[in-house]
Amino acid sequence: MGAWYSVGVMFGLGTAIGIAMSAALRRLTFALLIAIAVAVVIGALVWGWPQAAGGLVGAAFGVLGAMPVVVGTLRRGGTRGGTATLLGGAALGVAVLAFVPVVGYLEAVAVLVLGTRLRRRAPDTHAGLRTLARD
């Protein structure tokens, strides 16, 4: 098909790796470093350096997009195992869809955009308690 297809596959696989690492490690720095390293190694060994660069970008987008979901879920009382299981299943679905032409590119951007929107919409801590104290 061409290099654009394999780069797109690595974008999607990198995104899936980033989502899985975010769920498993729950620390932004560690998840980002490990996801990028794994995606670059897979891309370089299987295809070449352009694909490794696609994996790098996809992994970064995956971690940065999934981390607000992980942090928000754990802050609201979700369990670590449940969060990792659900996001691991989502990562598996993202990895499968990455092999559809052009979808890998779209997945990476969609995960980053959705994660950014969640981060902006996060409520302030205890915002409603100030109004109750005035009574």
Side-chain angles (χ1 to χ4, degrees):
M1 289 190 111
W4 65 270
Y5 173 73
S6 56
V7 171
V9 168
M10 277 311 299
F11 258 88
L13 289 178
T15 303
I17 292 167
I19 292 170
M21 288 299 133
S22 295
L25 300 176
R26 297 178 305 274
R27 299 280 186 225
L28 179 65
T29 307
F30 295 135
L32 193 59
L33 291 175
I34 292 175
I36 287 174
V38 169
V40 167
V41 167
I42 290 172
L45 289 179
V46 175
W47 284 294
W49 290 110
Q51 290 77 6
L56 182 145
V57 173
F61 284 10
V63 169
L64 295 174
M67 196 54 74
V69 174
V70 172
V71 171
T73 302
L74 295 176
R75 186 172 8 114
R76 289 178 183 90
T79 63
R80 293 178 180 174
T83 303
T85 301
L86 290 173
L87 283 178
L92 185 61
V94 168
V96 168
L97 287 174
F99 289 95
V100 176
V102 184
V103 174
Y105 296 109
L106 298 175
E107 287 174 337
V109 172
V111 167
L112 182 64
V113 167
L114 290 174
T116 304
R117 287 191 62 184
L118 281 176
R119 191 174 306 132
R120 274 191 267 152
R121 292 179 52 191
D124 292 333
T125 305
H126 308 296
L129 294 179
R130 280 179 261 145
T131 59
L132 293 176
R134 293 181 195 171
D135 288 335

